[in-house]
Amino acid sequence: MNLKELYQEIILEHGKNPRNIGKTENFNKDAKGHNPLCGDSVHVYLKLDNKNKVEDVSFEGSGCAISMASASIMTDLVKGKEENEVREIINDFLGMIKINPNLKSKNLNDDEKTKLMCLSGVKQYPMRVKCATLSWHTLISAIDNKNEEINTEKFD
Ligand code: ZN
């Protein structure tokens, strides 16, 4: 199996069996996001503890395999990390999905980086980039307590 096949396998698997689906009990932050180009929508729920660490995170939503896989992988990766680490990971991911060849984050181990790199295949398809980044923009909105629904059309 080559790298491209492995990546597709992981996306399909997460798309079929998304992790962390539902509404986090006692969440203290949340945000909604919408990608009108593809029809993807997500609602991200976050519970930060008193040290600003992600105690729990989940999402509800519907959409294409890429958007669901991206939300699934994202929620898996940020659980247990501190807010500033999560922000750094989000920036690193958004940079990679648009221009950077690789991830640079020190807050991700190699296994976690491999999971995120699965989504790097969308780079060649600008419409698909929005599917992959939807849940990430929505997570930032939740962390920042912005009370507005994310619309991917507002981002490059
Ligand atoms: Zn989509």
Side-chain angles (χ1 to χ4, degrees):
M1 195 187 283
N2 65 31
L3 199 58
K4 203 177 157 191
E5 287 167 340
L6 172 71
Y7 284 175
Q8 280 172 351
E9 188 102 329
I10 297 176
I11 290 177
L12 283 177
E13 204 275 314
H14 273 269
K16 267 188 218 151
N17 307 298
R19 320 293 197 271
N20 311 304
I21 285 274
K23 197 184 282 187
T24 298
E25 216 174 302
N26 302 321
F27 66 91
N28 45 27
K29 288 173 184 286
D30 74 305
K32 286 183 190 172
H34 182 49
N35 173 19
L37 269 185
C38 180
D40 311 314
S41 61
V42 291
H43 192 158
V44 174
Y45 301 92
L46 193 62
K47 187 182 180 193
L48 292 181
D49 68 11
N50 53 15
K51 284 173 184 150
N52 271 343
K53 197 166 146 180
V54 179
E55 193 177 311
D56 206 359
V57 56
S58 67
F59 75 100
E60 290 175 330
S62 60
C64 66
I66 299 277
S67 66
M68 293 298 106
S70 186
S72 172
I73 293 168
M74 177 189 81
T75 49
D76 249 2
L77 290 195
V78 301
K79 204 178 277 190
K81 295 197 164 64
E82 285 171 26
E83 187 199 311
N84 58 347
E85 294 173 339
V86 172
R87 285 179 190 278
E88 197 262 353
I89 291 167
I90 294 171
N91 283 334
D92 196 29
F93 174 77
L94 293 176
M96 181 279 287
I97 214 80
K98 284 169 196 157
I99 42 170
N100 300 335
N102 287 302
L103 293 160
K104 304 178 181 106
S105 176
K106 292 185 181 71
N107 296 310
L108 294 168
N109 63 35
D110 286 346
D111 186 48
E112 292 172 325
K113 282 182 181 166
T114 301
K115 284 194 187 133
L116 283 185
M117 288 306 288
C118 296
L119 295 159
S120 63
V122 304
K123 265 184 212 190
Q124 314 148 48
Y125 313 99
M127 273 182 71
R128 302 264 97 177
V129 166
K130 291 175 190 267
C131 301
T133 58
L134 170 65
S135 55
W136 298 77
H137 288 301
T138 308
L139 179 61
I140 298 176
S141 176
I143 291 173
D144 288 342
N145 288 321
K146 282 188 192 150
N147 231 341
E148 55 169 332
E149 184 169 321
I150 289 291
N151 182 330
T152 48
E153 288 306 284
K154 290 183 190 152
F155 298 94
D156 297 332

